[in-house]
Amino acid sequence: MSSIVFDKNVVELVTVAAEYCAFLEEARSLDRNRVVDVIMRILPLLYLKALMLPEIESDPEIVLEEYLTEPDYDEMRNSLRVILGEIDNYLEVCVDEMKYSDAPIIMSISEDLSDIYQALKNFVESFKTGINYIMTESVAVCKESFCLYWGQTVTNTLRALHFTRFGMNNESDHFD
């Protein structure tokens, strides 16, 4: 029986996740239009590939290493915030807090992208260990965190970017 880590869907997510992480790490040298264009193409792929991960039960005895430090996360978020500028913040309507709030909830694309990056960076780095039980556990953790958190973050971010790019009145002046 072959290991789950060599499953076609797992290998494809590792590949797309590695591309996402590498792109964000190089994004500060690109202009906003290019960054948004690539992100709008890769987020749906990440969502699809994560959705197709096999179901694996997590092993509570295995604790995965966190590869992304808080300063690295902050640096990523801040560089994305600079790139995105005035299009970084958006109003969120698909969060539970909206039930209890009279005020709009403002979210940040740069924070969303960094949150997704954090989950995927840890996933990709776990695979680089080459240790089967760590890679297997990382698949279980990735699938669980996708279902609980970063999958919704992908859809929220994509919606915000889509609106910025193609929103009401087709005002593309945000993209110049």
Side-chain angles (χ1 to χ4, degrees), residues 4-5 10 53-58 135-137 139-141 143:
I4 196 78
V5 299
V10 172
L53 283 176
E55 295 293 330
I56 311 173
E57 199 162 315
S58 182
M135 295 185 298
T136 301
E137 182 64 14
V139 173
V141 168
K143 177 75 174 201

Side-chain angles (χ1 to χ4, degrees), residues 21-175:
C21 292
F23 178 76
L24 286 188
E25 290 161 4
E26 299 299 319
R28 68 180 61 114
S29 65
L30 303 171
D31 68 46
R32 179 172 60 197
N33 291 349
R34 176 76 177 134
V35 170
V36 170
D37 184 51
V38 171
I39 293 299
M40 287 182 71
R41 292 169 194 236
I42 202 165
L43 287 180
L45 282 173
L46 286 170
Y47 190 91
L48 176 63
K49 297 305 178 185
L51 197 60
M52 296 176 73
L53 283 176
E55 295 293 330
I56 311 173
E57 199 162 315
S58 182
D59 183 345
E61 300 293 318
I62 300 173
V63 177
L64 296 175
E65 186 174 341
E66 295 282 326
Y67 293 94
L68 189 70
T69 66
E70 190 171 337
D72 292 338
Y73 174 92
D74 290 339
E75 183 180 332
M76 175 62 68
R77 188 186 69 230
N78 290 332
S79 74
L80 288 168
R81 184 178 326 162
V82 168
I83 292 166
L84 295 169
E86 72 275 359
I87 69 166
D88 188 34
N89 291 332
Y90 67 97
L91 297 178
E92 183 51 79
V93 294
C94 296
V95 291
D96 285 336
E97 291 84 17
M98 282 297 296
K99 296 178 200 173
Y100 311 108
S101 177
D102 292 334
I105 297 184
I106 297 174
M107 301 295 285
S108 162
I109 294 170
S110 60
E111 187 170 348
D112 290 349
L113 294 174
S114 297
D115 288 349
I116 297 163
Y117 173 80
Q118 181 175 32
L120 296 178
K121 182 70 171 180
N122 288 329
F123 175 63
V124 169
E125 292 300 319
S126 291
F127 260 76
K128 288 182 181 178
T129 68
I131 302 170
N132 196 298
Y133 76 91
I134 290 175
M135 295 185 298
T136 301
E137 182 64 14
S138 73
V139 173
V141 168
C142 186
K143 177 75 174 201
E144 182 179 342
S145 66
F146 167 78
C147 293
L148 295 175
Y149 179 69
W150 71 264
Q152 185 65 55
T153 303
V154 166
T155 62
N156 295 349
T157 307
L158 189 58
R159 181 185 49 77
L161 289 171
H162 181 86
F163 184 79
T164 299
R165 182 80 184 260
F166 305 110
M168 298 171 70
N169 303 326
N170 274 340
E171 293 179 14
S172 60
D173 59 346
H174 297 295
F175 258 75

